[in-house]
Amino acid sequence: MSTTGTPLTKKDFKSDQDVRWCPGCGDYSILNAVQTAFAELGKKPHEVAIVSGIGCSSRFPYYMETYGFHTLHGRAPTIATGLKLANPDLDVWVVTGDGDALSIGGNHLIHVLRRNVGLKILLFNNRIYGLTKGQFSPTSERGKKTKSTPMGSVDEPFSPIGLALGANATFVARSVDIFAQHLVAMVKRMDAHRGTSLLEIYQNCNIFNDGAYKSFTDKELRDDRVVELHQGKPLLFGKNLDKGLSFDADLRPRIVEKADAATWDEHRANPAYATALAHADEASLPVPIGVFRDVARSPFESDLRNQLAVAGERKTESLDELLLGNETWTVGS
Amino acid sequence: MSTTGTPLTKKDFKSDQDVRWCPGCGDYSILNAVQTAFAELGKKPHEVAIVSGIGCSSRFPYYMETYGFHTLHGRAPTIATGLKLANPDLDVWVVTGDGDALSIGGNHLIHVLRRNVGLKILLFNNRIYGLTKGQFSPTSERGKKTKSTPMGSVDEPFSPIGLALGANATFVARSVDIFAQHLVAMVKRMDAHRGTSLLEIYQNCNIFNDGAYKSFTDKELRDDRVVELHQGKPLLFGKNLDKGLSFDADLRPRIVEKADAATWDEHRANPAYATALAHADEASLPVPIGVFRDVARSPFESDLRNQLAVAGERKTESLDELLLGNETWTVGS
Amino acid sequence: MTETRTQTQFEEVDQIVVRFAGDSGDGMQLTGDQLTRTTALMGNDLATFPDFPAEIRAPAGTLPGVSAFQLRFSNFDIHTPGDAPDVLVAMNPAALKVHVSSLRRDGTLIVDTTSFGPVDLKKAKYDKNPLEDGSLDGYRVIKLELQRLTREALASTTLDTRSKDRCKNIYALGIVSWLFHRDLKPTIQFLRGKFASKPEIAEANVKALEAGHLFAEVSGLFQAAYRVAPATFMKPGTYRNVMGNQALCLGLVAAAKKSGLRLVLGSYPITPASDILHQLATYKHHGILTFQAEDEIAAIGAAIGASYGGLLGVTSTSGPGLALKSEAIGLAVMTELPLVVIDVQRAGPSTGMPTKTEQADLLQAMFGRNGECPVPIVVARTPADSFGAAFDAVRIALRYMTPVILLSDGYIANGSEPWCVPTASSLPEIAVKFAAAGDGTARFRPYERDPVTLARVWARPGTPGCTHRIGGIEKEDGSGNISYDAQNHQHMVDLRAEKVARIANDIADAEVIGHPSPDVLFLCWGGTTGAITAAALRLSKAGHSIGAVCLRWVNPFPKNLEAILRASKRVIVPELNLGQLAMLIRSRFLVDAQPFTKVQGQPFTSHEVEEAGLAALAALRGQEVSR
Amino acid sequence: MTETRTQTQFEEVDQIVVRFAGDSGDGMQLTGDQLTRTTALMGNDLATFPDFPAEIRAPAGTLPGVSAFQLRFSNFDIHTPGDAPDVLVAMNPAALKVHVSSLRRDGTLIVDTTSFGPVDLKKAKYDKNPLEDGSLDGYRVIKLELQRLTREALASTTLDTRSKDRCKNIYALGIVSWLFHRDLKPTIQFLRGKFASKPEIAEANVKALEAGHLFAEVSGLFQAAYRVAPATFMKPGTYRNVMGNQALCLGLVAAAKKSGLRLVLGSYPITPASDILHQLATYKHHGILTFQAEDEIAAIGAAIGASYGGLLGVTSTSGPGLALKSEAIGLAVMTELPLVVIDVQRAGPSTGMPTKTEQADLLQAMFGRNGECPVPIVVARTPADSFGAAFDAVRIALRYMTPVILLSDGYIANGSEPWCVPTASSLPEIAVKFAAAGDGTARFRPYERDPVTLARVWARPGTPGCTHRIGGIEKEDGSGNISYDAQNHQHMVDLRAEKVARIANDIADAEVIGHPSPDVLFLCWGGTTGAITAAALRLSKAGHSIGAVCLRWVNPFPKNLEAILRASKRVIVPELNLGQLAMLIRSRFLVDAQPFTKVQGQPFTSHEVEEAGLAALAALRGQEVSR
Ligand SMILES: Cc1ncc(C[n+]2csc(CCOP(=O)(O)OP(=O)(O)O)c2C)c(N)n1
Ligand SMILES: Cc1ncc(C[n+]2csc(CCOP(=O)(O)OP(=O)(O)O)c2C)c(N)n1
Ligand code: SF4
Ligand code: SF4
Ligand SMILES: [Mg+2]
Ligand SMILES: [Mg+2]
């Protein structure tokens, strides 16, 4: 709770509440990474507010020594929008789950993205409903057997990044709970963006969807199964960065020689390339992590605030003048 | 109301209710085109159900001699989903507006698209709220001055097609209220698709947003300002189809010589090219109409019905057996 | 013919009720608005009732397309726009069909005969021509070919015929202005302003207005013009005319200024609440922030977020939107944040009849949330009273750290009346105190309370040393930590109820209008106040033991209400629903309050209420005799 | 030591209440379930009360992580899982801390002493070690190092230590099984089935079970084992044990089959309603279609769509979800479509305490919609009664063409009791008639009604000649065309209310339990039925003039309710809210019904209710004397 003096550390972002996730849950690593990043960014606890929805992930604010609001299932983006409008200088983060953000809250999510409200959204994607004990979510793979789909789900999943790009998001990135350094770096990148930044974090729910990302996050597989996006750099992967990723004529990503690797540009105005990667097949291609898109557009809250300023310059009017309006008459005593 | 015998005509799809749109509204042309298409497709009125939300556009079902359900603002896709699950053989259409589909109803829209429920969605996009008398909508251009935004809106609009592609839609197309033939053709294309088909229809609201599309739909401008997408054909436009459209390295569409025009393929698995077109700048480039995407994926309702069939084969159980369950004991008399 | 001008007979009357009815394209609302403005400026008391069609523009000439505007003005204190008009202006057969039956017997019917052909009659579902079949015999009918008259008047202009025809309503306004001795100047000024960029049109309209006025005078069609002296009963002060939604917005802004807080409105358009969004959007120079959200839930979410951020969050909607906001209102209750939720009621259920009025959301406002979730409810009673209701809503929300639901309805929202404008300095200050910055030594306790109001402390995010977490899960009092403790839950449920109950300490006592200790008491709330006040005043003046209480707060009830109810022998609750307030009163006080209801999308007429009062009185006397 | 085995003392008792409490990872629910199963199969009457923690898995050893399961079984008719347990099994200090106070004075406390180190005690917020500070003196304390015992018992297996430790709860179950003379076979069968793919684990568990059983017998720690004879009062028939949510699902399926309609469930997961979705999802072979929607609104939308399509639409949720569905329920009312809306209530307001029970959604169910929007409400009263409630909900929804809200709560939903299984043929048929195909000569009129029930005609889309349009706008009766007519609106509002009122003709009369014409009447609804029935029966048996009515339908009320209320001298309404039914009763009948409430996330104990009854009786007698 210290608010002055010496540089803050990770510990200064820990609240006094017991953390109540299942032992082994990926949420712990994310909490750790965010606290680390916040400390390294030199944030002050009282300048940050974290707004969440409902879900295991949405318990996050309780564990952070910042301002926090644990709201309603799916509605965090709306409340965070109001908060940001109220106080554009406040550093507002949103924590949400795949169910919270993409099932019940899908509409609010795409609307903040299109508006480019200055919110930083951490989307914990465990491809399952954790808190309600294991139903499939809008990011669960087809055929997923869960309590609510004993014969397997028949829903095609969303690509959260693809959806965000479709909604005209200005900053979209992806990381993984256990890639601590990468995750910290991504949190810092989000922080630097003006407008909405969305970070999809692959998160393991070891109780209801254990190993969801094992096939590409396991230590031994990682190098061959993950490709990191770096601005202006070729798309390389493999232990010695000896393989490349490129796009065919239909813009389908495909594995190529190192030399033929496409160069990544996160600043492209048109989201088509990022879309191509977002919808790439996870099973057969390396999974991209890093920044998919980062383009500039003025944040909603500053445009709105600007209008107030302009209006204020154009017209001054006392409360009395306002109440009286243009047409009055007087009744004498 | 005739239901037998001789081939039906457009008139057979007219209900006995007075049409109550403003004189000159684009909705009239759309009504006409849909009635024409239905007749030409040989549909029978009782085999069709039209579900709508709330808005001027959503009055549509009242004017069609079919089954019709005028539901709640934004919720038509949910009710249509239930109806299609109840009766997969029924021909279910959804009529919605830009506010209905993309503002309050955005989440339901992206979820039916991802699930690929067998619904045919006509999205009347007039870039305004008609029924509530003229507020800006999620498709209104930035800076739009309306009753609710006297200093101009600061919201970035959605590209409905871009959003739909982001949600993994299997069929997405665009047409214009006054392009009667094209519109009829598009309605027929939708009809042929299995799964969700979404048609965005640019519609003029002559009361609250008159001339929204004038700059490219006016007779004199049309040839130079509209490009029709045709499967396997180059992207050509201009009076004599003498200009072409292609994509630069960043996949930004740009105007090129006829010979250099890109070939359109609506069947691409990856939605990136379609996305590139969907987000193209309307002011500087010809506006694409036609089918952006048409790919195959099994419809939600048939997958779900299949599970019932499989389950039925695997296990037969009488109601008595079900009620008794596995473990019972008897109390004697 | 000029000499006739000077011979104009003026009949002095104390009030006039006039209704304009025509196609929604005919500009009836504009016509009515102008007559109202002028009348306000001439110092009469007045009340208006615009009646919109459901469609933006139904096909011309059809019954659903009819739009109407009623104005009543007087030299005495009036409370409703009147039951039956003295004068009806019907611009086409459909308007005639819909409205003629409400015209006063022997009333004046001005009818535009331009379109009474077979097709027009059919559109209006007339079998025979009503102008010819004797069905209008009881009225003083004045048939005018308005289209021809207008065209003739504008013959010298360069306008095309269609544009000329569009001036028809202004021509009619000219006629009516003469008839009621209304000043033309305000309208002329308005027309020149409105069409500033099209001076041709402006002048054509002015010409039509003056021509209509002249025609009325010289044609000799009218036996006399009427004059209503300015109202004199009014308390001294500066007056303006306001519509309900407008007054409500002014109340919000005034309260925000008096509290020193910026106001953030989160809203989603819906009839008849949209004008609140529109109006507040024009107050940006007062620091008012409006946000048109993607839906009602996002709208209230943004308002809650703004309140959490230390601003004044407000959200406005109508019944179906309130239904959607119910879950979020629960969050505001649980997190004890100030918030004003405005419901401008319309006829339901479901989509219902959006352009018609009703008072059937009271129980939804009281109970439409999961769990024990008490919310105070304040109601706007008349167009001008909306100012005070809104001001009060803000005051209580901030003082008690609670969401407040403000109920208005379509009838008051669009109706208008004169309003004695208060000076800013006469309005009470609204004290707001935020938690002060801490030094980090003591943990901030967000659920510490004011012992009097039970309001919790409000800390603005950004304040050093006050970091804290809140949410919708039950929390420990004081610390605000999550708690599943059984006793704590009971405590918190009781406490939230008690907090709302204590608001009774902060609201005005109920006042009895009419007979001071009546045998028959009308108890009403909201938009029926005008009709009930009028009835109670008239009946008590006529010597009947009848009075009325018109509630400003429905939850909690004012402290003196119980005594008033018990003192009267019969309580009648007139409501535009099936008896919602009656049900609250009955269960709370175990008093045999009788609902008197009407659910027709229309307000009560004073007459209906008077009859109900007299019937109750008669029944009571009968009982007393037979006892 | 084998000879001691034959010397076991069996004490015959008529009932036992046992509670298991441990970490949420300790498998308490599974242990309880198995003991319940066995007990059911042994023919006792029983009732259970599982009490979940809010978190999936709070940190091991902490207070919020404690999970408990209480079972009461008997040879006589019981109605609740019991107030104070006779035996408490506490698996760690936190479990001890949370639950010991409810143990009967002189009750048996079996406590696992494995983890009572300083760290463990601190996690449980114990300052001192309760095993040593004398605070447990009043109880018969049996301290066991369960971890060591289990490890020893499994020493010969190849399991790793962690897996061995996981068998601890089964070892404890073995002990308890001996103590209460419970058969081991059903549990052994279950374990072999559950771990079919891991036979090693299965056998280790079986071994632990048997070892626990043997240990209890040979250790001599217990003075005696207890035997509860099978219940004999039960009516003859075939029984099974059912949980409330399960019985509810069976009721839905049975009703669907009896109506010949396919059932479509649209749902969105939410505690404690999710199991309805889970359960129905396993009935695909019965043609049941389940759809996990993107949210609660989509869920009810799909259900409404299915009903419009001619199937039986059902949606299930808990309080916050019901709030979100309110707008759509209004649509179902307006379009008069059959629909069952299930609300398994949990403690509110807002997110509240999701794993705790409450009855505070009654008024939301009654009034939580815009406009006058009546919906019938049926309630589940006990776990097994949920079957009938669900069946009735479907029956009325189809017969009256109306949405029906079915209220259950967390306490009944997860509780279980024996259920006398009806045969399919004994269940009433539910007649459903769809509009027949037309030849297109006459326009189909979707709002033509059955004169008795006022139900409108139901036409399945796809039927030739029946095309029609419906929607949420007010409609003309008969034709179903949009109508803004004032009189029609009044007619339709009245008619929708009347339709719901007429359901009273089709529901069972209220029955008085206990004293047949009591001076003090308990009036209750839903999940408090067990406690109130028990109290009324005991008190009336003891000679007090106390009886109870436990409502199945809350809207409309049964026809004979008024007479019953008026016949009693005092009406007490025990509810887990602040008095919601009481408020409906007071306003409706103007009877001074007194709420007796508790809002602690926990059910009433019979004891609490008995005290309230006796107090009311005493007050009444006092009054009678003083009169
Ligand atoms: C209105 C409402 N509906 C449903 C729920 C129940 N609920 C709580 S969390 C949740 C989903 C959680 O999934 P996700 O967002 O992926 O979070 P996770 O627990 O996996 O981190 C649901 C359905 C609720 N609390 N409120
Ligand atoms: C729950 C709810 N919120 C708001 C409204 C008000 N409303 C009706 S239609 C509409 C928007 C209409 O815009 P759009 O969907 O674009 O249809 P259009 O009228 O332009 O065809 C709104 C906000 C409503 N009927 N219900
Ligand atoms: S249920 Fe899954 S997501 Fe939730 S806390 Fe446990 S491991 Fe984490
Ligand atoms: S308001 Fe616009 S969209 Fe609506 S009917 Fe009129 S012209 Fe058409
Ligand atoms: Mg999740
Ligand atoms: Mg629109």
Side-chain angles (χ1 to χ4, degrees), chain C residues 317-370:
Chain C
T317 189
S318 184
L322 187 63
L324 287 168
K325 289 178 201 287
S326 25
E327 191 201 13
I329 296 173
L331 179 67
V333 168
M334 202 65 152
T335 52
E336 305 188 35
L337 285 168
L339 178 77
V340 176
V341 179
I342 301 160
D343 172 12
V344 186
Q345 300 163 93
R346 64 190 213 183
S350 193
T351 305
M353 308 194 301
T355 55
K356 301 293 172 188
T357 199
E358 207 160 284
Q359 296 183 291
D361 292 351
L362 175 58
L363 293 177
Q364 176 179 226
M366 279 293 289
F367 302 120
R369 294 166 290 280
N370 58 301

Side-chain angles (χ1 to χ4, degrees), chain B:
Chain B
M1 279 182 58
S2 147
T3 53
T4 49
T6 49
L8 300 182
T9 69
K10 191 164 102 172
K11 258 173 58 191
D12 292 299
F13 288 94
K14 290 206 161 101
S15 81
D16 65 337
Q17 300 293 300
D18 295 335
V19 183
R20 292 195 190 151
W21 288 308
C22 305
C25 176
D27 291 354
Y28 286 96
S29 341
I30 305 177
L31 178 62
N32 194 51
V34 171
Q35 288 166 337
T36 304
F38 279 16
E40 292 181 10
L41 285 163
K43 289 186 189 292
K44 304 223 178 71
H46 70 272
E47 292 171 357
V48 179
I50 307 181
V51 181
S52 66
I54 301 281
C56 293
S57 33
S58 290
R59 290 281 175 127
F60 196 92
Y62 290 116
Y63 311 137
M64 292 289 294
E65 187 52 53
T66 62
Y67 285 90
F69 199 164
H70 180 222
T71 70
L72 298 172
H73 194 32
R75 317 302 174 187
T78 73
I79 287 163
T81 295
L83 180 56
K84 191 74 185 173
L85 294 183
N87 188 347
D89 298 332
L90 199 69
D91 190 14
V92 183
W93 293 71
V94 170
V95 172
T96 180
D98 44 327
D100 195 59
L102 297 167
S103 195
I104 191 168
N107 202 33
H108 307 306
L109 182 73
I110 59 180
H111 279 270
V112 287
L113 291 172
R114 117 181 134 78
R115 292 193 188 107
N116 204 31
V117 184
L119 306 174
K120 290 139 195 170
I121 306 178
L122 301 163
L123 195 170
F124 294 23
N125 184 2
N126 54 13
R127 296 188 179 168
I128 204 80
Y129 287 1
L131 191 66
T132 48
K133 308 201 173 171
Q135 300 82 8
F136 78 107
S137 91
T139 56
S140 297
E141 65 280 12
R142 256 184 171 229
K144 180 110 201 151
K145 288 198 181 172
T146 69
K147 281 185 193 158
S148 58
T149 48
M151 294 179 71
S153 65
V154 301
D155 293 46
E156 178 80 8
F158 277 137
S159 154
I161 297 204
L163 183 67
L165 292 170
N168 237 327
T170 56
F171 182 103
V172 195
R174 180 189 287 152
S175 192
V176 181
D177 53 1
I178 53 170
F179 293 2
Q181 278 191 315
H182 188 263
L183 188 47
V184 169
M186 285 301 117
V187 171
K188 291 182 179 174
R189 280 292 308 271
M190 295 173 79
D191 192 61
H193 180 73
R194 292 188 70 228
T196 318
S197 48
L198 175 75
L199 179 65
E200 176 186 27
I201 307 172
Y202 284 158
Q203 172 241 328
N204 192 42
C205 166
N206 54 309
I207 300 295
F208 297 111
N209 199 17
D210 197 23
Y213 304 110
K214 229 174 119 58
S215 71
F216 55 89
T217 58
D218 259 11
K219 272 247 163 61
E220 319 76 63
L221 306 170
R222 212 176 274 186
D223 289 337
D224 280 339
R225 294 283 290 113
V226 170
V227 56
E228 285 193 35
L229 310 178
H230 291 289
Q231 174 55 20
K233 300 271 163 62
L235 297 173
L236 300 181
F237 65 105
K239 198 180 227 115
N240 308 310
L241 293 181
D242 50 359
K243 287 178 264 190
L245 201 66
S246 186
F247 300 88
D248 71 9
D250 285 348
L251 235 70
R252 254 187 312 230
R254 49 171 191 180
I255 298 173
V256 295
E257 297 293 303
K258 178 173 180 170
D260 299 332
T263 300
W264 189 242
D265 182 358
E266 63 199 28
H267 303 311
R268 287 185 180 103
N270 195 303
Y273 270 103
T275 300
L277 275 195
H279 291 279
D281 177 36
E282 180 177 294
S284 62
L285 292 168
V287 176
I289 64 171
V291 178
F292 282 64
R293 186 174 207 221
D294 182 2
V295 298
R297 195 162 81 221
S298 65
F300 185 73
E301 68 279 7
S302 41
D303 288 356
L304 220 51
R305 284 282 176 152
N306 272 348
Q307 290 196 336
L308 297 202
V310 171
E313 277 163 28
R314 277 193 207 153
K315 184 169 180 184
T316 45
E317 185 181 58
S318 69
L319 178 54
D320 276 317
E321 286 165 336
L322 173 72
L323 296 184
L324 287 169
N326 302 322
E327 290 187 331
T328 57
W329 69 96
T330 313
V331 173
S333 52

Side-chain angles (χ1 to χ4, degrees), chain C residues 471-499:
Chain C
I473 299 189
E474 185 60 285
K475 36 199 38 58
E476 188 181 69
D477 205 12
S479 76
N481 290 337
I482 289 183
S483 169
Y484 271 64
D485 180 77
Q487 295 307 328
N488 177 72
H489 182 47
Q490 179 84 54
H491 168 71
M492 293 300 279
V493 167
D494 291 342
L495 186 146
R496 287 184 287 260
E498 171 66 15
K499 191 166 83 160

Side-chain angles (χ1 to χ4, degrees), chain C residues 548-562:
Chain C
V549 164
C550 302
L551 293 174
R552 154 70 60 90
W553 285 91
V554 176
N555 191 31
F557 290 128
K559 285 182 153 180
N560 66 336
L561 182 61
E562 178 161 9

